[in-house]
Amino acid sequence: MKTLIPTHLTERDKAVNWHPYTQMKTAGDAVPIVKGKGVYLYDEDGKKYIDAVSSWWVTLHGHAHPYIAERVFQQLNTLEQVIFAGFTHEPAVQLSENLLNLLPENQSKVFYSDNGSTAVEAALKMCIQYAYNLGKEKTKILAFKNAYHGDTFGAMSVSGRSVWTKPFGSMLFEVVFIDTPNAENLDDLKKQIGELAEETACFIYEPLVQGAAGMLMYDAKHLDELMKFCRSEEILMVQDEVFTGFGRTGKLFAANHLTEMPDIMCFSKGLTGGTMPMGITTCSQEIFSAFLSDDRYKTLFHGHSFTANPLACTAALASMELLLQEETLTAIDRISRQHSDFSKTLSNHPDVENVRQTGTILAFEYKTNQNTSYFNEIGKKLYDAFLHRGIIMRPLGNVMYLVPPYCINAEELDFVYETILEVLELFQN
Ligand SMILES: *Cc1c(COP(=O)(O)O)cnc(C)c1O
């Protein structure tokens, strides 16, 4: 197998950069990317790679999309940034209007931040302070086992305890973790939640797909049941659509698969089409109203320097325009159908198990004699094999998944499928 020849950029990188989720002692050379166009990324040697993971699940319409670039360029020449306390601007107002139009009808207000983790932090603070402002003692939080909501301390606290959170274990606040719902355990889950309802501020969950846990999936109808129960027990619901939002699940939002409505929603990743960092937390009028007071202590004291940055808002506006075009919605359907067909092939493969799919997200496990886990050693070998063949996949241990940009065409996606089958042969058990 070809090892990438260290280039100028790679060497310079090694001297100065500390990469995310990377053991810098054993990591291979970082691939020096110089250009992106559509579904492809190009390295220094001109080799091109299909970005089958949308650059960590963010890219929707392909790299360096000319329409988004043009809109951001114009905005950059008009207004690049303004403090969002006491001031406002057209891109933020328009984006809030457009987004709220697409969300469940109870979503009424938009709070801006910088990324998925901060969108979650703001949501948690809204829930805790909602109870505080109403003079209620509610500080317990419910979350799913294996959840992932981000890497800041609050977001880590509501994420499942794992190797990622271990060094910080004693610093994380307590959270009650429950199983994801299925036909068998629903009654039991309701009982568990019912017993804690009095003290519980909120329930936070990734709807339908637990992404970072390895694309674990569960049914909308069971989540609906759980949500209905939380509603009846007056537990606030925080729906983290940081990953599932903007078409990933085959519909615009995971919310579109559900009949129950959450109180708060979190967005990031695909929000700007993957071009600029931005987070959004939306909430119902009821939540917002609990912060309206002559008592200044009831204010939500939270904000970031770049809150509602006009460039990021403009990128989001442009990306959402592209997303709602007939062509994109058709592509999302087509990718979902192609995934579904390929799932059947995979399900019959002797080295593959637990094939699962929700819309444009496809995941399956490579059978090994080690446990399914993030540290399963096959992950690195698979990663290298795909990279060598011009495809960027980032297996979570032995869990392989595809989350392609919507601009991937049928032939390119078929090439990815064929390569998966070829690589599976290579590592045949
Ligand atoms: C990625 C992710 C986050 C964190 O977003 P960042 O922008 O990486 O901080 C939060 N929730 C979910 C569901 C995610 O997938």
Side-chain angles (χ1 to χ4, degrees), residues 4 19 46-47 70 84 110 162 191 217 222 228 230 238 259 261 270 349 366 368 377 411 418 424:
L4 292 152
H19 290 265
K47 176 170 173 170
E70 177 57 32
F84 205 60
V110 175
S162 70
K191 193 159 159 274
M217 299 180 189
H222 298 133
K228 198 184 294 172
C230 285
V238 179
T259 51
M261 294 186 287
H349 197 288
Y366 181 75
T368 67
E377 281 152 22
E411 292 72 40
E418 280 157 26
L424 285 174

Side-chain angles (χ1 to χ4, degrees), residues 79-329:
L79 175 70
E80 84 303 344
Q81 164 70 356
V82 58
I83 175 174
F84 205 60
F87 295 83
T88 191
H89 52 83
E90 176 67 26
V93 175
Q94 188 70 57
L95 176 57
S96 299
E97 289 173 352
N98 291 8
L99 180 63
L100 290 175
N101 265 334
L102 300 176
L103 297 182
E105 61 188 358
N106 70 337
Q107 297 301 298
S108 309
K109 289 288 185 291
V110 175
F111 189 89
Y112 287 96
S113 64
D114 306 326
N115 57 68
S117 303
T118 55
V120 167
E121 296 288 340
L124 295 174
K125 285 170 87 167
M126 282 178 192
C127 291
I128 300 291
Q129 195 177 342
Y130 171 83
Y132 171 89
N133 284 0
L134 297 180
K136 292 184 186 166
E137 263 298 319
K138 284 186 165 212
T139 51
K140 276 212 162 64
I141 294 178
L142 290 174
F144 282 139
K145 288 173 188 161
N146 297 313
Y148 179 77
H149 296 290
D151 285 350
T152 51
F153 269 84
M156 257 200 299
S157 294
V158 294
S159 298
R161 300 294 178 265
S162 70
V163 288
W164 301 341
T165 60
K166 200 155 194 313
F168 318 103
S170 65
M171 319 284 293
L172 303 179
F173 57 73
E174 241 182 86
V175 169
V176 178
F177 292 103
I178 58 173
D179 288 315
T180 49
N182 55 48
E184 286 78 51
N185 70 3
L186 259 168
D187 287 338
D188 197 46
L189 290 178
K190 287 182 194 171
K191 193 159 159 274
Q192 282 180 54
I193 296 172
E195 280 163 11
L196 302 166
E198 289 269 291
E199 317 140 83
T200 300
C202 68
F203 166 44
I204 181 167
Y205 53 93
E206 296 164 272
L208 312 188
V209 186
Q210 295 187 290
M215 304 296 164
L216 303 177
M217 299 180 189
Y218 63 98
D219 284 350
K221 66 170 191 273
H222 298 133
L223 179 57
D224 254 332
E225 280 246 9
L226 212 53
M227 290 173 74
K228 198 184 294 172
F229 185 73
C230 285
R231 178 68 65 217
S232 72
E233 296 286 332
E234 293 179 16
I235 296 171
L236 296 180
M237 288 171 268
V238 179
Q239 189 157 304
D240 179 351
E241 295 230 24
V242 167
F243 171 47
T244 53
F246 305 97
R248 287 293 177 206
T249 65
K251 302 195 183 199
L252 277 184
F253 298 97
N256 300 112
H257 296 265
L258 299 163
T259 51
E260 296 296 318
M261 294 186 287
D263 299 278
I264 294 179
M265 299 179 78
C266 303
F267 306 94
S268 187
K269 295 206 165 109
L271 170 59
T272 61
T275 57
M276 303 197 78
M278 185 158 76
I280 278 182
T281 310
T282 63
C283 72
S284 65
Q285 184 60 40
E286 188 192 335
I287 307 268
F288 181 72
S289 296
F291 291 76
L292 302 177
S293 174
D294 294 325
D295 176 356
R296 293 180 62 180
Y297 283 85
K298 293 193 173 175
T299 308
L300 181 64
F301 291 112
H302 188 98
H304 298 277
S305 313
F306 287 101
T307 297
N309 172 257
L311 301 174
C313 288
T314 300
L317 279 167
S319 172
M320 276 168 56
E321 263 180 49
L322 295 172
L323 180 65
L324 295 175
Q325 283 177 358
E326 198 53 47
E327 195 185 325
T328 313
L329 299 175

